């Protein structure tokens, strides 16, 4: 009798492990299939500077005799395609990688590029968040493997003097997340805003779980507008390339929606009542948008309920 129980238990464990393995393999296969048809397309912006489109956040790239700098790297299964697109530009393999923030559609390829020898840089909070389990729209994102972590971090920003240009990396406090950076190629007059800017494809995503706040997104737009001119080329986190005029429109939208929600809150209106007012309806025009009007208004409402973030201090 004990032998039968033991045999049944072994059979059950074997069946369970087989099912688990099968589910894992199926999940991995689905993940790979999801990216099988994705094409990485390059758009040159200036001499030695381009943007790469694929699936996930837009990638900035600077290349020349001093090496290749990549801004964000999309999802891990796309790394070989991204590497091929980099080679097609005539660029060397990636030397430096900067993450605009921690989200997986911008940092999912970190482990692959880290193992291939890239030096990964990001804001202090990006490394801190990647070290632990993070809440996201998909549930919980697991902690990142050590090879994926930024090895150089900064508090306010840094400068890279490479390929005949000055690359300025600047932290923008508590915007899309608490670890956002914008990257400005001074000579090329190109600026990458990460997810502080969604251009013409969705209302903004404010990740409240990651220290994001709509006040910071507006402050970042204002700060960038003070740095760019009519000839500047702006890479948004998502959407097509943008101009200063596009960013002005985005800034004005933020001010309008924030103003309407602030006024309604001062009158004691609930979140549901403010959502019913549809203050973002003018810009909520893409049926496939990642963030629709009600979700954006909720993020604005909850952002404004929080006291303004105090000055962060380096650890």
């Amino acid at each position: 009798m004990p032998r039968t129980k033991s045999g049944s238990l072994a059979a059950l464990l074997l069946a369970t492990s087989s099912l688990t393995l099968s589910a894992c393999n199926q999940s991995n296969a689905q993940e790979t299939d999801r990216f099988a048809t994705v094409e990485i397309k390059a758009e040159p912006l200036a001499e030695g500077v381009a943007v790469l489109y694929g699936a996930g956040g837009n990638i900035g790239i600077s290349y020349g005799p001093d090496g290749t700098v990549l801004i964000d790297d999309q999802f891990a299964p796309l790394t070989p395609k991204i590497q091929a697109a980099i080679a097609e530009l005539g660029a060397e393999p990636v030397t430096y990688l900067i993450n605009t923030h921690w989200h997986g559609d911008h940092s999912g390829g970190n482990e692959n590029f880290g193992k291939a020898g890239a030096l990964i840089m990001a804001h202090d909070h990006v490394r801190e968040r990647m070290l632990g389990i993070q809440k996201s729209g998909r549930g919980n994102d697991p902690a990142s493997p050590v090879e994926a972590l930024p090895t150089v971090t900064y508090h306010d920003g840094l400068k890279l003097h490479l390929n005949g240009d000055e690359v300025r990396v600047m932290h923008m406090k508590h915007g899309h997340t608490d670890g956002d950076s914008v990257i400005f190629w001074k000579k090329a007059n190109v600026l990458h805003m990460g997810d502080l800017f969604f251009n013409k494809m969705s209302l903004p995503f404010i990740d409240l779980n990651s220290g994001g706040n709509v006040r910071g997104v507006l402050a970042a737009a204002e700060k960038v507008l003070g740095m760019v001119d009519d000839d500047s080329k702006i890479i948004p986190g998502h959407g097509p390339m943008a101009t200063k005029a596009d960013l002005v429109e985005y800034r004005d939208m933020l001010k309008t929606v924030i103003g309407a929600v602030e006024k309604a809150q001062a009158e004691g209106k609930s979140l549901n009542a403010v959502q019913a007012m549809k203050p973002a309806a003018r810009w909520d025009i893409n049926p496939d948008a990642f963030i629709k009007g009600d979700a954006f208004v909720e993020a604005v409402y909850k952002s404004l309920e929080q006291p303004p973030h105090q000055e962060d201090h380096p650890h």
Side-chain angles (χ1 to χ4, degrees):
M1 187 73 177
R3 205 177 291 165
T4 310
K5 273 187 182 174
S6 175
S8 301
L9 181 61
L12 181 63
L13 286 172
L14 184 63
T16 305
S17 64
S18 297
L19 281 169
T20 306
L21 189 61
S22 170
C24 283
N25 288 339
Q26 190 175 1
S27 171
N28 289 338
Q30 286 171 344
E31 184 78 353
T32 305
D33 289 348
R34 179 183 160 202
F35 298 110
T37 57
V38 173
E39 285 182 62
I40 305 296
K41 294 177 181 173
E43 181 183 334
L45 302 176
E47 188 179 348
V49 181
V51 60
L52 303 178
Y53 302 103
N58 294 332
I59 296 173
I61 178 172
S62 164
Y63 54 97
D66 297 325
T68 299
V69 186
L70 203 65
I71 315 298
D72 290 340
D73 53 24
Q74 299 188 352
F75 298 97
L78 293 173
T79 300
K81 292 183 181 183
I82 293 167
Q83 288 169 326
I86 291 167
E88 275 182 38
L89 286 168
E92 295 295 317
V94 176
T95 324
Y96 307 98
L97 168 61
I98 303 170
N99 293 136
T100 59
H101 61 292
W102 77 267
H103 289 153
D105 60 323
H106 295 257
S107 67
N110 274 25
E111 183 180 6
N112 296 332
F113 283 104
K115 284 179 176 175
L119 177 68
I120 304 174
M121 299 178 267
H123 186 263
D124 294 330
H125 293 324
V126 173
R127 181 179 168 90
E128 287 162 13
R129 291 197 174 278
M130 290 176 75
L131 275 168
I133 296 170
Q134 295 297 315
K135 286 183 182 176
S136 74
R138 299 176 300 280
N140 287 334
D141 280 20
S144 300
V146 68
E147 294 90 350
L149 297 171
T151 51
V152 173
T153 63
Y154 49 84
H155 179 64
D156 294 317
L158 52 83
K159 289 179 185 175
L160 303 175
H161 302 273
L162 296 168
N163 302 325
D165 208 337
E166 178 183 293
V167 186
R168 297 176 60 194
V169 183
M170 295 157 283
H171 174 48
M172 300 286 162
K173 298 180 180 70
H174 298 285
H176 171 61
T177 68
D178 60 6
D180 301 302
S181 294
V182 300
I183 293 87
F184 183 46
W185 285 270
K186 195 173 173 182
K187 182 181 168 187
N189 199 9
V190 174
L191 197 141
H192 194 316
M193 285 190 68
D195 281 1
L196 291 162
F197 186 17
F198 282 58
N199 187 33
K200 295 182 169 61
M201 45 72 66
S202 173
L203 286 163
F205 171 35
I206 315 296
D207 188 350
L208 299 168
N209 289 322
S210 294
N213 192 294
V214 75
R215 293 185 187 99
V217 177
L218 175 57
E222 296 278 22
K223 188 161 185 177
V224 170
L225 283 171
M227 297 166 54
V228 297
D229 58 35
D230 292 340
D231 296 323
S232 300
K233 294 174 180 176
I234 302 171
I235 305 172
H238 298 267
M241 284 296 298
T243 62
K244 182 177 183 178
D246 295 321
L247 186 57
V248 168
E249 280 183 32
Y250 184 77
R251 185 270 317 269
D252 292 348
M253 176 277 293
L254 289 166
K255 286 177 82 168
T256 303
V257 177
I258 290 169
V261 175
E262 267 179 334
K263 184 172 180 290
Q265 281 181 333
E267 293 166 359
K269 287 188 168 65
S270 68
L271 171 59
N272 286 342
V274 178
Q275 286 173 321
M277 290 164 51
K278 302 290 179 193
R282 264 174 62 196
W283 302 277
D284 188 17
I285 52 176
N286 178 6
D288 300 319
F290 177 52
I291 299 294
K292 303 284 186 58
D294 283 352
F296 178 51
V297 170
E298 180 179 357
V300 173
Y301 191 96
K302 289 180 176 177
S303 289
L304 298 176
E305 282 184 319
Q306 298 172 3
H309 285 281
Q310 297 303 306
E311 181 72 18
D312 283 342
H313 293 288
H315 301 293

